[in-house]
């Protein structure tokens, strides 16, 4: 008799909770505002990304996942702003239903599964941004505590994430919930 892994049980519970829980509108709105502020913070560290976005000023980009949608438009300065508009020039729909699957893909450095509709040139620019623009948290932390401590914290964070990845890889489950972890031979 196969037993279910506690990880698959936790993932199922999270999905059931997510299906029944809907945060208040103001929480979603403020969260999206913070996401745009973060994206602009990262963009400001990459002048080429800002130049590319400035060429797309006024275009309408819609990012959708389940019932959540965010509409953005590049500004003449090469940043992003939230907009309220009808229609879109480019729609990116994240097709993964599970936030856990999306987080896992991002931790591996992969892109989540996305369906793309609309302007091909705008899609190419957005894809370039996704492929080439990276947030460097170590640089941001170094502004507050200095280079040495920031480097130490970043190394600790990288080692912790790698340990979590190894742990998760050892405790994978198949679709039935049966444990299929890889067994190391002594």
């Amino acid at each position: 008799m196969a037993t279910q892994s506690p990880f698959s049980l936790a993932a199922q519970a999270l999905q059931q909770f997510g299906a029944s829980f809907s945060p208040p509108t103001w929480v979603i709105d403020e969260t999206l505002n913070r996401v745009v502020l973060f994206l602009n913070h990262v963009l400001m560290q990459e002048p080429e990304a800002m130049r590319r976005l400035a060429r797309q000023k006024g275009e309408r980009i819609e990012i959708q996942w389940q019932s959540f949608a965010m509409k953005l438009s590049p500004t003449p300065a090469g940043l992003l702003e939230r907009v309220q508009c009808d229609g879109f020039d480019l729609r990116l729909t994240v097709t993964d239903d599970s936030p856990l699957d999306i987080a896992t893909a991002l931790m591996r450095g992969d892109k989540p599964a996305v369906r793309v509709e609309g302007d091909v040139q705008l899609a190419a620019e957005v894809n370039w941004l996704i492929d080439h623009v990276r947030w460097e948290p170590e640089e941001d932390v170094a502004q507050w505590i200095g280079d040495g401590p920031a480097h130490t914290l970043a190394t600790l964070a990288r080692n912790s994430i790698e340990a979590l990845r190894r742990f998760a890889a050892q405790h994978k489950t198949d679709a039935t919930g049966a444990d299929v972890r890889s067994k190391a031979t002594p």
Side-chain angles (χ1 to χ4, degrees), residues 32-51:
L32 294 177
N33 287 337
R34 299 302 184 258
V35 167
V36 172
L37 286 171
F38 173 73
L39 291 173
N40 284 334
H41 170 74
V42 174
L43 287 169
M44 286 190 291
Q45 297 172 10
E46 295 288 339
E48 178 60 22
M50 291 177 64
R51 278 191 290 280

Side-chain angles (χ1 to χ4, degrees), residues 12-179:
Q12 288 173 355
L14 184 63
Q15 286 177 343
Q16 289 172 352
F17 176 75
S20 64
F21 176 74
S22 179
T25 304
W26 68 267
V27 170
I28 295 169
D29 191 51
E30 284 304 312
T31 301
L32 294 177
N33 287 337
R34 299 302 184 258
V35 167
V36 172
L37 286 171
F38 173 73
L39 291 173
N40 284 334
H41 170 74
V42 174
L43 287 169
M44 286 190 291
Q45 297 172 10
E46 295 288 339
E48 178 60 22
M50 291 177 64
R51 278 191 290 280
R52 285 174 173 261
L53 268 178
R55 291 192 305 247
Q56 302 297 327
K57 66 181 176 262
E59 299 285 337
R60 300 164 300 166
I61 303 167
E62 182 178 290
I63 302 170
Q64 190 168 357
W65 177 67
Q66 294 184 353
S67 63
F68 301 103
M70 178 169 52
K71 294 184 178 186
L72 302 170
S73 181
T75 67
L79 299 174
L80 295 169
E81 66 179 343
R82 281 187 66 201
V83 293
Q84 298 297 324
C85 62
D86 293 329
F88 59 88
D89 296 305
L90 176 66
R91 176 185 284 161
L92 305 171
T93 305
V94 179
T95 58
D96 284 333
D97 289 332
S98 168
L100 195 56
D101 291 342
I102 295 169
T104 302
L106 292 173
M107 284 185 66
R108 282 193 316 260
D110 297 338
K111 297 176 193 174
V114 174
R115 185 177 67 242
V116 179
E117 303 172 55
D119 184 347
V120 176
Q121 180 60 37
L122 182 57
E125 291 292 353
V126 170
N127 190 53
W128 185 93
L129 293 171
I130 291 168
D131 286 345
H132 294 91
V133 177
R134 295 285 177 264
W135 176 47
E136 298 294 336
E138 186 175 336
E139 290 180 22
D140 285 343
V141 172
Q143 293 175 359
W144 293 91
I145 63 174
D147 289 340
H151 180 70
T152 302
L153 281 175
T155 301
L156 177 64
R158 282 189 293 272
N159 291 342
S160 299
I161 289 170
E162 184 56 36
L164 284 172
R165 284 182 187 158
R166 284 193 309 270
F167 180 77
Q170 291 175 347
H171 292 81
K172 284 185 179 177
T173 58
D174 66 8
T176 64
D179 194 358

